[in-house]
Amino acid sequence: MSTSPAGPTLLVIAKEPVPGRVKTRLTPPFTPEEAAALAEAALADTLATLLRVPASRRVLVLQGRTGPWLPPGYAVVPQCGGGLDERIAAAFAGCTGPTLLVGMDTPQLTPGLLAPATGSDSWPPGRAWFGPAEDGGFWALGFAEPRPDLVLGVPMSTPDTGRLQRRRLREAGLDVRALPPLRDVDTAADAAEVAAARPGGRFAAAHARLAPGPVAGGRSR
């Protein structure tokens, strides 16, 4: 059983890149303004990538306001209140049919990495897609038919988040397929590795411009 050739609904869950409110673990060595610039570049790369992926529609689930980083082609809906599990569940609750959610923390994402979940035969009934993050969380989550109840109550932002979320999917009897593991941008070390993984993107350009360089004595600013 295949899905529409148009592809799934693609959801991006994101925060407006405001200094002091995003990527706070990058500070230091980056300033709050620099961390926000990196977050904006990561979000812009993610949104641009998803424009190159088959989709029936594309939705930005946003905390905050849009800016010049938002390209045409996206519907924008506000995030609900509550914890991250509640916000993710609410995003899925607004959809029907095959739906794949990604975050804004993996600007190294490419259409090829998403290809297994965006083909015409990727979404038979009962299928779920799961993209593990190297820090123990997840960067992608998808359902052939959204199941918000399988997200609610999962502890988010812990080293066990991914394991617990995947277990929920399997215990519900879903056919869980894995996407490649990716590294989230949380720390300065993460940012350097992710920038190197996709040297042609806006994130890599922003990182090259903003990354602290060595100074006398071998220290960084």
Side-chain angles (χ1 to χ4, degrees):
M1 176 80 63
S2 64
T3 65
S4 165
T9 294
L10 296 176
L11 302 177
V12 180
I13 189 162
K15 291 182 180 179
E16 178 188 2
V18 176
R21 297 184 183 177
V22 292
K23 296 295 157 208
T24 54
R25 290 174 61 189
L26 293 179
T27 307
F30 297 97
T31 68
E33 291 74 20
E34 290 170 341
L38 288 169
E40 178 176 329
L43 178 55
D45 276 346
T46 301
L47 296 173
T49 292
L50 294 191
L51 288 174
R52 299 162 53 207
V53 171
S56 58
R57 65 178 183 137
R58 298 171 181 84
V59 181
L60 174 63
V61 187
L62 182 65
Q63 184 181 95
R65 299 176 297 178
T66 62
W69 40 263
L70 177 64
Y74 282 87
V76 180
V77 299
Q79 289 185 29
C80 73
L84 182 56
D85 64 317
E86 296 170 288
R87 288 179 275 140
I88 291 175
F92 278 115
C95 301
T96 58
T99 304
L100 181 68
L101 177 142
V102 303
M104 62 178 284
D105 297 335
T106 51
Q108 72 274 42
L109 185 62
T110 65
L113 289 170
L114 285 173
T118 54
S120 60
D121 58 351
S122 298
W123 297 97
R127 173 68 53 82
W129 286 95
F130 184 84
E134 293 183 5
D135 64 1
F138 60 88
W139 64 268
L141 180 63
F143 297 95
E145 189 61 43
R147 291 287 305 273
D149 58 302
L150 297 183
V151 181
L152 283 172
V154 174
M156 296 289 159
S157 303
T158 79
D160 290 326
T161 295
R163 179 181 63 83
L164 295 172
Q165 181 63 78
R166 194 189 305 226
R167 186 172 72 185
R168 276 275 194 97
L169 304 177
R170 288 175 171 161
E171 288 177 347
L174 299 182
D175 172 25
V176 184
R177 301 297 177 94
L179 292 166
L182 291 178
R183 186 169 182 171
D184 284 342
V185 175
D186 289 321
T187 67
D190 295 333
E193 182 170 309
V194 168
R198 191 181 174 191
R202 286 182 58 173
F203 183 83
H207 185 267
R209 183 176 74 253
L210 298 170
V215 297
R219 295 173 298 172
S220 300
R221 71 165 173 81

